Amino acid sequence: MDGTTELDDLQKPAFLLDSPDVEILEEYDPDIPASNPLEYLQRVRLEAEKCPSVVVADIDVATFKSKQTVLVSPSTGFIPAERGFAPTVAAQRRLAAQFSDVRQAYRRYLHNTKKEKTDQDKKLKLPVMQDECAWKQLCLGNSVTPEGSVEEGEEGQGVGAIPDSSKEGTPPNLHILMSMDQWTVIQVLEFHITWLQRHGFSTLQTQWLYGLMVCLEKPLYPDTAASLRNLSRCCSAIRAMVDSKDDDRLAPLNLIICLVSRYFDQGDLADK
């Protein structure tokens, strides 16, 4: 079916001009007014048939370059890995599949636990959702505040089932993750991305990032997707500074980048 036929199907005539009682107008003098309404409509149709289906304006965009105030870069900010520093595409797909299995197992366990409602499954009393300092002390330890200074005994530390948080931080065990609602998961994930940019990378933080991504619900909110993209870009920048393939940071960095791109559908940030 060509474009003309499609337009004919969409633009059904409101007035029938092909009736036997109507004289078909093939040509006319545009300087002479139409003698009746039907002739006028025929002229309109003849003019419309001469018009192309698509019209493109011929504009010289060079004249606007001097007035342009915003430049949009096509770059995503993602730094591709050097040869041998990233897993193959097949390996990335396996990691994403394993991550999906972990998420499904977590959902099943969470569902079964809600059904049982035993005393052991009561939620922990965690820090307030927006208390960045308290979450920093819980997740990564209390030796460094969000501003980077050494400071202990902050008043904002949350009260919960883990009152004596060690200086090394607390791993994201299942009881903690199950006590966090979705908004808390998103907020703490954003905290970790900020801390990653401020203080660098650590194995404990990888555990927290992985656990929080397990708890993320799909489809993602736009702001959450943007945060994950920022996380991937940050991890790629740290990976670009790794000199050896035997560096302990390489595998967890590749894992986070892989999950953001392959599982959370940010394909333009994937290692090819």
Side-chain angles (χ1 to χ4, degrees):
M1 182 181 294
D2 58 13
T4 304
T5 306
E6 292 179 357
L7 288 176
D8 291 342
D9 293 339
L10 292 174
Q11 300 175 352
K12 295 182 179 180
F15 298 98
L16 295 178
L17 304 181
D18 298 333
S19 173
D21 299 333
V22 178
E23 181 181 357
I24 303 300
L25 183 65
E26 297 182 355
E27 57 182 18
Y28 61 92
D29 186 353
D31 295 330
I32 301 177
S35 59
N36 56 65
L38 290 178
E39 182 180 344
Y40 171 77
L41 293 176
Q42 288 188 27
R43 290 188 180 190
V44 172
R45 186 170 70 173
L46 289 174
E47 292 179 4
E49 290 175 352
K50 296 178 182 179
C51 296
S53 301
V54 179
V55 179
V56 179
D58 185 13
I59 301 176
D60 183 11
V61 296
T63 59
F64 300 103
K65 288 185 178 180
S66 60
K67 301 179 181 179
Q68 186 171 356
T69 57
V70 178
L71 297 177
V72 180
S73 172
S75 174
T76 62
F78 179 79
I79 303 176
E82 296 183 8
R83 186 177 183 85
F85 279 74
T88 63
V89 174
Q92 293 177 48
R93 290 172 179 168
R94 287 195 298 270
L95 290 172
Q98 294 170 2
F99 181 71
S100 178
D101 293 339
V102 173
R103 282 172 58 92
Q104 292 178 14
Y106 174 77
R107 299 296 176 193
R108 288 193 298 268
Y109 184 80
L110 189 63
H111 178 72
N112 294 334
T113 303
K114 287 182 178 180
K115 280 186 175 181
E116 295 175 2
K117 293 182 180 179
T118 61
D119 293 338
Q120 296 179 351
D121 296 323
K122 291 181 179 179
K123 290 186 177 181
L124 298 176
K125 188 176 180 182
L126 297 173
V128 179
M129 182 177 67
Q130 296 181 346
D131 191 344
E132 181 179 356
C133 184
W135 278 108
K136 181 71 176 292
Q137 293 175 350
L138 173 63
C139 298
L140 303 181
N142 56 8
S143 59
V144 181
T145 66
E147 290 73 29
S149 60
V150 177
E151 192 169 326
E152 296 184 4
E154 191 72 27
E155 295 181 356
Q157 185 175 2
V159 179
I162 312 175
D164 296 324
S165 163
S166 68
K167 292 183 179 181
E168 300 299 325
T170 305
N173 60 56
L174 193 58
H175 202 180
I176 294 178
L177 295 176
M178 291 177 59
S179 300
M180 301 171 65
D181 59 28
Q182 189 61 199
W183 294 112
T184 303
V185 169
I186 293 173
Q187 180 63 74
V188 176
L189 176 63
E190 292 178 355
F191 285 157
H192 274 277
I193 296 172
T194 300
W195 301 333
L196 182 64
Q197 295 171 328
R198 289 178 182 173
H199 311 303
F201 177 81
S202 67
T203 302
L204 181 58
Q205 193 167 27
T206 304
Q207 298 174 10
W208 270 100
L209 290 170
Y210 187 92
L212 292 170
M213 287 194 291
V214 167
C215 300
L216 275 182
E217 296 178 357
K218 294 180 71 176
L220 299 174
Y221 293 102
D223 289 346
T224 306
S227 296
L228 288 178
R229 292 178 64 84
N230 190 24
L231 171 63
S232 180
R233 287 191 291 265
C234 185
C235 288
S236 72
I238 298 174
R239 182 181 62 182
M241 296 184 291
V242 174
D243 298 328
S244 172
K245 297 180 182 178
D246 298 328
D247 195 307
D248 294 337
R249 297 173 296 171
L250 190 59
L253 286 170
N254 281 331
L255 176 61
I256 298 299
I257 293 172
C258 170
L259 297 182
V260 172
S261 61
R262 301 292 178 181
Y263 186 83
F264 290 103
D265 305 320
Q266 306 301 317
D268 57 325
L269 303 180
D271 289 311
K272 308 300 183 183

